[in-house]
Amino acid sequence: MAGRLLPNLTNPLDRPAAVVPFPVARRGGRPAKLPEADLRAAVEEGLKDPEIAERFGCSRQYVYLQRKRHGLLRPKGPRRSKSRFAPKVATDRAVTMPPVDHPALAEDRTLYPATVTGVDGLLNVLVAGANHWKIGGEIRKGRWAGFPVYALTLEERATCPASCRHWRSCFGNHMHFAKRIRHGEALEDRLAHEVAILQSRHPRGFAVRLHVLGDFYSERYVALWASLIACFPALHVFGFTARIDGRRDPVARALVQLTLAHWDRFALRFSNAPVDECSTVTVEHPRQVPADAVLCPQQTGKTESCSTCALCWQSRRRIAFLQH
């Protein structure tokens, strides 16, 4: 990783981006016949439908129908993560993008302005992770095991840098009903109050996911989280930011410094940054995952949620995410 460490975001090397070949799609047609004996052996081996489909060159739907036909349905056991919702995967979800001339893109706002709300009248802005299918309510592995998880959702684009690679393809485009908290001083005052309460409620530790939507919008806001990390030892943060230009963006520079100083409690990843540690890379297909990155296990169904994975804060290794 020489030359591509996190401090380089404040003085990055100028190098061309690697060109990744786009996968060649298979031709359609009638699915290959899947013998019952082979299917039964694969199910007993513990393979999931996508893995069986890849092994025998057929679709996941065909595998499911054949399992149903032969009575090879898997029992539905209890979910491991404390979430109100069943887990989902990104491999079967389409990316949603508004037209290029959509007003939200020019006005730096969400597609759903009616979902943006101030802190007045809200019981809390840090919402239990159990309310989000991908996050989960309690961390089940790693050095943060046992910590309850809370999440903060801001308004996408309004708090994000226009340089974000997903300015148009933001996954917030899917989230029609998410409650987005309006950013500003009122939010910052409320956060300080709520973190103090959570410190007394969970003195052993708790985690905050920043941000389900939105980003760090000012130096003052970054300084708030730095002070909260310093004042409340139970607070642990994980999340992502599109602010990666540490040479020209003072917010990015402050985030790099905070992450380097407190990675054990402030595990922030820099999205699509030209470094090999504490970063992410977005791909359109699993075949595009770089050799030095690991594909998000939750997106491919290998684990239920962030709470049952822990990769984002356990390792500094670059993580690849399917565009979703």
Side-chain angles (χ1 to χ4, degrees), residues 215-235:
D215 208 327
F216 294 87
Y217 53 85
S218 70
E219 291 180 84
R220 173 191 170 107
Y221 182 59
V222 177
L224 167 69
W225 284 105
S227 66
L228 294 177
I229 286 289
C231 294
F232 301 106
L235 171 64

Side-chain angles (χ1 to χ4, degrees), residues 95-119:
V95 176
T96 299
M97 290 195 295
V100 173
D101 59 354
H102 193 286
L105 304 182
E107 297 170 7
D108 302 351
R109 63 169 175 83
T110 178
L111 300 182
Y112 316 107
T115 64
V116 180
T117 181
V119 300

Side-chain angles (χ1 to χ4, degrees), residues 165-178:
R165 177 175 173 179
H166 299 292
W167 184 258
R168 184 181 173 209
S169 60
C170 176
F171 72 87
N173 298 340
H174 290 284
M175 301 175 67
H176 306 69
F177 304 110

Side-chain angles (χ1 to χ4, degrees), residues 150-167:
Y150 297 86
L152 176 63
T153 303
L154 303 182
E155 183 183 0
E156 67 273 30
R157 300 188 188 90
T159 58
C160 303
S163 58
C164 176
R165 177 175 173 179
H166 299 292
W167 184 258

Side-chain angles (χ1 to χ4, degrees), residues 87-99:
K88 304 176 185 178
V89 295
T91 52
D92 58 359
R93 301 184 70 193
V95 176
T96 299
M97 290 195 295

Side-chain angles (χ1 to χ4, degrees), residues 45 48 55 68 75 81 83 91 102 110 136 152 177 184 198 204 225 237 253 284:
E45 187 180 337
K48 297 182 178 180
R55 173 179 291 186
K68 185 176 180 180
S81 62
S83 175
T91 52
H102 193 286
T110 178
L152 176 63
F177 304 110
L198 292 175
R204 182 180 170 274
W225 284 105
V237 172
R253 189 157 51 247
E284 294 182 337

Side-chain angles (χ1 to χ4, degrees), residues 114-296:
T115 64
V116 180
T117 181
V119 300
D120 293 340
L122 294 179
L123 292 177
N124 54 288
V125 296
L126 294 176
V127 180
N131 291 293
H132 195 286
W133 57 267
K134 190 177 189 295
I135 297 176
E138 181 181 296
I139 296 174
R140 296 302 181 92
K141 63 187 299 186
R143 62 177 182 268
W144 296 0
F147 289 3
V149 185
Y150 297 86
L152 176 63
T153 303
L154 303 182
E155 183 183 0
E156 67 273 30
R157 300 188 188 90
T159 58
C160 303
S163 58
C164 176
R165 177 175 173 179
H166 299 292
W167 184 258
R168 184 181 173 209
S169 60
C170 176
F171 72 87
N173 298 340
H174 290 284
M175 301 175 67
H176 306 69
F177 304 110
K179 184 179 294 183
R180 297 153 168 90
I181 310 301
R182 186 174 293 111
H183 64 288
E185 291 187 18
L187 167 66
E188 294 163 18
D189 291 342
R190 175 65 73 87
L191 283 171
H193 176 70
E194 291 190 17
V195 170
I197 293 176
L198 292 175
Q199 168 73 37
S200 62
R201 187 179 298 169
H202 309 290
R204 182 180 170 274
F206 63 96
V208 174
R209 164 71 159 89
L210 300 178
H211 304 87
V212 176
L213 296 174
D215 208 327
F216 294 87
Y217 53 85
S218 70
E219 291 180 84
R220 173 191 170 107
Y221 182 59
V222 177
L224 167 69
W225 284 105
S227 66
L228 294 177
I229 286 289
C231 294
F232 301 106
L235 171 64
H236 296 70
V237 172
F238 71 100
F240 308 88
T241 180
R243 295 193 178 275
I244 62 175
D245 188 356
R247 289 181 296 180
R248 291 182 287 266
D249 183 356
V251 178
R253 189 157 51 247
L255 287 171
V256 169
Q257 294 169 354
L258 180 56
T259 303
L260 286 172
H262 299 286
W263 169 260
D264 58 329
R265 292 179 51 216
F266 194 84
L268 187 69
R269 289 184 176 271
F270 295 79
S271 301
N272 294 292
V275 291
D276 297 322
E277 63 171 355
C278 308
S279 64
T280 71
V281 58
T282 305
V283 297
E284 294 182 337
H285 192 278
R287 291 174 60 183
Q288 295 178 309
V289 176
D292 65 338
V294 57
L295 183 60
C296 170

